[in-house]
Amino acid sequence: MAKRQIPVIVLAGFLGSGKTTLLNHLLGHSGGSRIGVVVNDFGSIEIDAMSVAGQVDSMVSLGNGCLCCAVDTSELDGFLDKLARPAARIDVIVIEASGLAEPQELIRMILASDNESIVYGGLVEVVDAAEFARTRDRHPEVDRHLAIADLVVLNKADRVGEEDRRAVLDELARLAPGRPVLEAVHGRVDPELLFDRKPREQETPGAVRQLSFEDLVREEAEHGHGCGTHDCGGDCAGGSPGHRHLHAAYDSVAFTAAEPMDPRRLMDFLDNRPEGLYRIKGFVHFGADGHRRTRYAVHAVGDFLRFYAAPWGRAEERLTQLVLIGTGIDADALRTALEGCRRVEPRDADENAMWGVLRYAQG
């Protein structure tokens, strides 16, 4: 099997945008996933509000299994290595860019890393809907950050009127063409949009464990407004823009094919991804000559694309299963495009058909 890689997400945004609120939201709603957070100082994290299991030097262990590291740029590589070690059992790493380095520099460091246990997980740029124009005046470099972002979170969307909100969205579309823009309130973004969240492990009946920060959030939700049947983080269906299910803010499309996929057609689709598409995950069966026994896992975030080759399991059904995640995407058009990638010829006519895939393959 291909070695599991930990996605490293860069979270950026200027003072007041709400990225720290978003970060704390992810920590409080991590489910069964263990998040490794890299910050410049612990002031960014609401550690006092969480259950701290222990601290060693610049690393704090939280009660829900997450780890927080306070580092500077010179220490970043070393701490990424620590977080990526199997013993840490981390599922996703989030780097808060403030005080560390420019987002493009952090991305370069991740892509250039020789640590095979990590993979680029995307640049998320958080902007304040109410202060966007003034932020650009004070920090002109925000335009450059938006241009390289894989996902833009328009936070505090409830603080502006419809006309101003539309104007900000239009400007974001100009500055970050084709990039998905997610509107949010209080930094509440569904973690499933950013990474694959694990369900919480089943507890052994009668077992006693440490109360986690997530438990406190859930308890507040259950007793605060009566939505105890699910983990909504206070975003159940309601009248206000910020009072609704988080997963309603983005779209998810599933595609399954029993027939092998045509490598050239699929690469043409992946090289020309539609606007608003943020993540693609799953695996592909090409069935091409020399590759019939190989399962290709897909990891795509923004413009980043990678395949991981590994043998099919002995009893594993050979098919293609993909999930596409984004905002404002046309589900029917995506499915039609992928249907057109099925291979209709009984065999490959061109022995070089897999070259496009192999450019992005690892393993």
Side-chain angles (χ1 to χ4, degrees):
M1 296 294 289
K3 183 178 180 180
R4 184 184 75 92
Q5 288 190 302
I6 302 169
V8 181
I9 299 168
V10 178
L11 182 61
F14 287 94
L15 184 65
S17 64
K19 69 182 179 306
T20 299
T21 305
L22 192 158
L23 178 58
N24 282 296
H25 174 78
L26 295 179
L27 283 171
H29 297 79
S30 58
S33 297
R34 293 166 64 94
I35 303 176
V37 176
V38 179
V39 295
N40 187 240
D41 64 73
F42 288 134
S44 300
I45 309 299
E46 295 174 354
I47 287 179
D48 289 342
M50 303 184 192
S51 179
V52 178
Q55 179 169 354
V56 178
D57 296 328
S58 298
M59 187 176 290
V60 169
S61 175
L62 302 180
N64 61 356
C66 297
L67 294 173
C68 295
C69 309
V71 307
D72 59 34
T73 308
S74 64
E75 302 172 307
L76 182 58
D77 278 335
F79 272 89
L80 287 178
D81 288 343
K82 284 185 179 181
L83 290 171
R85 286 187 304 204
R89 296 189 295 128
I90 291 297
D91 299 298
V92 60
I93 297 171
V94 179
I95 301 176
E96 189 189 43
S98 296
L100 278 174
E102 282 284 296
Q104 58 265 36
E105 176 64 14
L106 292 171
I107 294 171
R108 186 198 64 76
M109 293 175 69
I110 296 166
L111 295 178
S113 173
D114 58 3
N115 187 335
E116 296 183 356
S117 296
I118 64 173
V119 65
Y120 178 60
L123 168 61
V124 179
E125 182 75 22
V126 185
V127 298
D128 183 337
E131 296 291 326
F132 183 57
R134 284 182 284 273
T135 299
R136 291 181 69 199
D137 288 340
R138 292 192 300 268
H139 305 284
E141 61 269 34
V142 71
D143 290 9
R144 186 172 69 251
H145 296 178
L146 287 166
I148 62 172
D150 298 297
L151 172 70
V152 179
V153 174
L154 181 61
N155 195 31
K156 307 181 186 180
D158 58 329
R159 297 189 183 181
V160 294
E162 178 61 26
E163 184 176 342
D164 290 339
R165 185 185 66 87
R166 190 71 256 169
V168 173
L169 288 172
D170 289 344
E171 189 64 9
L172 289 174
R174 185 185 71 82
L175 295 170
R179 294 297 188 261
V181 178
L182 182 73
E183 296 181 51
V185 175
H186 302 305
R188 293 172 185 155
V189 171
D190 191 336
E192 289 282 356
L193 176 62
L194 305 181
F195 57 88
D196 297 334
R197 187 170 69 155
K198 292 181 179 178
R200 288 188 62 86
E201 295 179 359
Q202 294 295 319
E203 304 293 342
T204 303
V208 178
R209 65 174 176 82
Q210 187 172 11
L211 186 68
S212 75
F213 180 57
E214 186 174 0
D215 294 328
L216 296 176
V217 172
R218 184 182 294 108
E219 184 176 277
E220 181 180 346
E222 290 176 358
H223 294 94
H225 62 74
C227 35
T229 58
H230 60 283
D231 180 13
C232 66
D235 290 275
C236 291
S240 65
H243 199 71
R244 56 190 172 87
H245 287 293
L246 297 182
H247 60 252
Y250 66 91
D251 308 295
S252 179
V253 177
F255 173 81
T256 302
E259 303 88 349
M261 303 295 279
D262 182 279
R264 281 210 174 96
R265 292 177 188 169
L266 184 63
M267 285 310 304
D268 183 61
F269 170 82
L270 293 173
D271 286 337
N272 298 279
R273 279 165 261 175
E275 294 187 0
L277 193 56
Y278 175 57
R279 277 210 303 152
I280 303 175
K281 59 181 181 176
F283 51 87
V284 182
H285 173 45
F286 289 109
D289 288 337
H291 300 270
R292 300 186 196 284
R293 298 180 180 179
T294 306
R295 176 183 186 266
Y296 285 89
V298 185
H299 170 76
V301 178
D303 291 331
F304 180 83
L305 172 65
R306 188 166 291 174
F307 288 97
Y308 301 96
W312 286 98
R314 188 180 298 274
E316 195 172 5
E317 185 178 4
R318 301 185 182 184
L319 44 72
T320 294
Q321 290 186 317
L322 297 173
V323 176
L324 301 90
I325 301 170
T327 61
I329 54 179
D330 187 331
D332 291 337
L334 285 175
R335 290 194 185 94
T336 299
L338 287 170
E339 290 285 350
C341 296
R342 296 175 189 258
R343 205 182 79 219
V344 293
E345 302 85 0
R347 296 181 67 85
D348 286 332
D350 185 352
E351 63 180 5
N352 300 326
M354 286 290 293
W355 280 13
V357 174
L358 296 178
R359 281 189 301 138
Y360 298 98
Q362 178 177 316

